[in-house]
Amino acid sequence: MADARRARAFALYDAAVAAASAANCVPGNLPAIPPKGRLILHIPAEETKTRKKDYVAELPVDVATQLRWYRANVIPLLAADPNGFLFVSKGGGRKTQETISQQITEALADHVGVHMTPHQFRHFAAILYLEAHPEDFETVRNLLGHGWSRTTSI
């Protein structure tokens, strides 16, 4: 049970990171999505919060499937390049990180009944992991991008 919860928490965390970072995702960060196989998200260090380390994650299969469907079926309806920016407005322009964060927060409130920002969500995922693995601060420190273990333990 704990392993399933941990896996789901980190799958949701990866999805939240991808969504919250999407405003900064240039097309090369999530290139043309192949029809099958692994899907890797790569955000260069200079586009991350700390600007110190690249963020690279293999997206869970269900998230990759949804992204493939979204790129093939929704983005063209928005008059945007299917291989361009991931989240775009109705006119095909790139959404800002603030807009995406607000939309994620509103969706969580509307559909789950919880007010939680993407930043709070990443810490929630870390807490779930630490509940299952209380000795493993190092994994959480790396996932959160903290340079110091003390920052993670606060």
Side-chain angles (χ1 to χ4, degrees), residues 9-145:
F10 279 102
L12 290 171
Y13 172 72
D14 281 342
V17 167
S21 302
N24 295 324
C25 275
V26 294
N29 293 2
L30 195 60
I33 297 177
K36 291 183 181 180
R38 296 174 45 188
L39 190 55
I40 305 295
L41 173 68
H42 173 247
I43 301 174
E46 60 272 8
E47 295 178 24
T48 66
K49 180 180 177 182
T50 63
R51 300 186 182 281
K52 292 181 181 177
K53 185 177 171 186
D54 286 6
Y55 178 83
V56 179
E58 181 174 355
L59 298 179
V61 172
D62 59 329
V63 173
T65 299
Q66 291 171 357
L67 282 174
R68 286 182 173 101
W69 182 88
Y70 174 79
R71 279 232 164 138
N73 297 288
V74 176
I75 289 184
L77 296 175
L78 300 172
D81 178 4
N83 295 315
F85 293 107
L86 186 57
F87 294 105
V88 296
S89 64
K90 289 180 183 175
R94 175 178 158 184
K95 286 187 180 181
T96 65
Q97 184 171 351
E98 292 79 20
T99 297
I100 295 167
S101 291
Q102 179 181 357
Q103 290 175 333
I104 290 170
T105 301
E106 289 172 0
L108 282 168
D110 292 347
H111 300 286
V112 182
V114 174
H115 175 84
M116 186 179 294
T117 66
H119 185 78
Q120 291 167 327
F121 191 82
R122 67 193 293 265
H123 287 279
F124 174 67
I127 288 167
L128 289 179
Y129 181 83
L130 285 173
E131 283 179 355
H133 306 279
E135 74 291 342
D136 193 8
F137 268 83
E138 187 62 18
T139 295
V140 173
R141 184 189 70 76
N142 284 323
L143 284 168
L144 295 177

